[in-house]
Amino acid sequence: MAFLQTIPELRQPAPGVELLCLPEPRFKRAQLSLGFEMPMDKKRAARTLLAEVLSQGSASYPSRLKLTQALQDLYGASCSIYADRAAEYHRFSLQLGWVGDRFLPAEEMVQPRLFGLARGLLDQPKRGANGSPFDVETMERERSALLKRVRERKDDRPSYAEERFLAQMCAGEPYGLLAWDSEDALHELSADQLEVARLDLLASAPITAIVVGPCDVDLVETWLADWFSTRGEVRSLPPIQHPPVGKLREFREELPMEQAQFHYGFRYAQPESPRSFEALGLACAILGGGAHGRLFRVVREEKSLAYGIYAMLRARKGLMTVAAGIDAEAYQQVRAEVENQLLDLQQNGPTAEEMEFAIVNRLDRLRALADSGSRLANYHLREHQLGFKRTPAFRAADLQSLSPQEVATAAQSLVADSVYLLAPGKNQNPAAASTPS
């Protein structure tokens, strides 16, 4: 299968609104995502709860049931709202999906009706009695459900360990903050605070939208222009922080558990060119990008020191992190092996076999973009945020021409910052556990 060679057309339908258009007819469904990005400020708790409350209905569709029925009437269209952290920003997202016109009965048009439904969720929420901006019962139900999820997150030990690791590695940086702020912040929220957050989002948040699939992009642009063209000054977001690396830090925390969670964080300066960034991505893949990666082969397969181990780039922030499930007693050995394998990659570069496996794996992923509208949208959104705007075909050509020395040079930019272990308590009775194999 050939690599895709098109990039989205960039339009600016309103102040602070960027629209990436890729009307790909190869897909059955079109997908549109609107990302409202704001600083990780004190209003992020309100925006997080706001997403949950708005998802329950609007003035026109005053319950989740009525909203779901309306979406089904639009031939199974989808509409979701959620909030999370994206790099060092708080992102409030509206995502829509619908079947392309050529798959519908003659003269049926889903886009305008779905767009009206979606805008109503943000512009005309279901109001409460006695002038309350939101229905109190709905707000309290969603607050309770969100708090329950927040309290239960410790039950997912790998995800909780990653959260705690990033909070300490990036202490004092927005990247280390939680999207919902804290339990106390969620408890204290009022309906008026949610309304202030809603109006602030619509009036001043920078918005990046991307639409992919069989759709009328002019209709998307007109809809966004009608919605946001009267906005005033749009907020400027602070630059992402890239602090210098100091002395390597170690952190250990304890919880009742069987398998310890290990994390190792490295920082790097932003690569000067797309090719340098491609080399860095390949270095990360060779180190820990899956079963073909060094860490998996050596730490897990050869030395049986981990249940699973992998590395990933956090590109907008400039981090590479390694994560592994291990026995706590193997901490020093796993840490040393991560350092040894990275040092060898930096000094000696990858082998021909490592280059081949890593490149083939990444090429397969680039080819697969042609089969998924959502993955293609995410790909181009990431390219836009990084400022590269490369087609899959361009990246494939770059990958296949990289040399082992370029990969070694890119790996040399990785500087160790923090090591973290979430482990069973020292007085905990060890439970029976299998040895990694």
Side-chain angles (χ1 to χ4, degrees), residues 99-138:
V99 176
D101 289 347
R102 74 178 186 273
F103 300 102
L104 299 177
E107 299 183 2
E108 277 281 13
M109 292 190 66
V110 166
Q111 260 186 264
R113 293 156 60 194
L114 178 60
F115 288 177
L117 179 152
R119 180 173 175 177
L121 289 172
L122 273 67
D123 271 1
Q124 298 176 324
K126 179 184 176 182
R127 301 301 190 182
N130 301 319
S132 175
F134 295 96
D135 178 70
V136 174
E137 182 180 351
T138 300

Side-chain angles (χ1 to χ4, degrees), residues 34 40 78 118-119 125 152 159 163 167 173 178 186 211 217 245 268 279 346 354 359 392 398 409 424 428 433:
L34 275 67
M40 289 287 284
S78 62
R119 180 173 175 177
E152 290 176 348
S159 295
E163 172 192 310
E173 304 167 48
L178 299 172
L186 292 174
V211 60
V217 295
V245 179
Y268 60 86
Q346 292 169 332
E354 287 175 327
I359 289 173
D398 240 7
T409 300
Q428 177 182 330

Side-chain angles (χ1 to χ4, degrees), residues 165-177 249 267 317 319 417-418:
F165 160 62
L166 293 174
Q168 294 178 83
M169 179 179 178
C170 300
E173 304 167 48
Y175 201 81
L177 299 176
R249 299 169 293 168
R267 295 185 189 261
K317 178 60 178 170
L319 303 181
D417 181 283
S418 301

Side-chain angles (χ1 to χ4, degrees), residues 182-201:
S182 66
E183 287 189 45
D184 287 344
L186 292 174
H187 270 298
E188 294 168 2
L189 287 173
S190 66
D192 287 337
Q193 287 173 300
L194 263 64
E195 179 68 353
V196 169
R198 184 186 72 85
L199 294 174
D200 192 27
L201 269 175

Side-chain angles (χ1 to χ4, degrees), residues 40-215:
M40 289 287 284
D41 56 17
K42 289 297 184 182
K43 291 182 182 178
R44 67 185 187 276
R47 292 192 293 268
T48 299
L49 182 55
L50 176 68
E52 303 296 328
V53 172
L54 293 181
S55 297
Q56 303 310 305
S58 65
S60 299
Y61 306 98
S63 71
R64 185 67 192 177
L65 176 60
K66 291 186 179 300
L67 181 60
T68 300
Q69 289 172 337
L71 292 170
Q72 286 302 311
D73 289 342
L74 295 175
Y75 298 90
S78 62
C79 176
S80 60
I81 302 174
Y82 63 90
D84 59 3
R85 178 179 55 75
E88 292 195 334
Y89 308 124
H90 192 249
R91 180 177 59 194
F92 183 97
S93 296
L94 172 65
Q95 292 197 329
L96 307 177
W98 66 95
V99 176
D101 289 347
R102 74 178 186 273
F103 300 102
L104 299 177
E107 299 183 2
E108 277 281 13
M109 292 190 66
V110 166
Q111 260 186 264
R113 293 156 60 194
L114 178 60
F115 288 177
L117 179 152
R119 180 173 175 177
L121 289 172
L122 273 67
D123 271 1
Q124 298 176 324
K126 179 184 176 182
R127 301 301 190 182
N130 301 319
S132 175
F134 295 96
D135 178 70
V136 174
E137 182 180 351
T138 300
M139 181 175 168
E140 291 307 319
R141 183 183 70 241
E142 295 308 311
R143 189 206 309 265
S144 296
L146 179 56
L147 284 167
K148 185 174 185 290
R149 293 199 299 274
V150 167
R151 295 186 189 111
E152 290 176 348
R153 72 192 194 283
K154 284 186 180 181
D155 295 337
D156 182 350
R157 295 291 197 256
S159 295
Y160 183 70
E162 180 181 55
E163 172 192 310
R164 294 296 305 146
F165 160 62
L166 293 174
Q168 294 178 83
M169 179 179 178
C170 300
E173 304 167 48
Y175 201 81
L177 299 176
L178 299 172
W180 59 86
D181 193 349
S182 66
E183 287 189 45
D184 287 344
L186 292 174
H187 270 298
E188 294 168 2
L189 287 173
S190 66
D192 287 337
Q193 287 173 300
L194 263 64
E195 179 68 353
V196 169
R198 184 186 72 85
L199 294 174
D200 192 27
L201 269 175
L202 295 173
S204 63
I207 300 170
T208 302
I210 182 165
V211 60
V212 173
C215 61

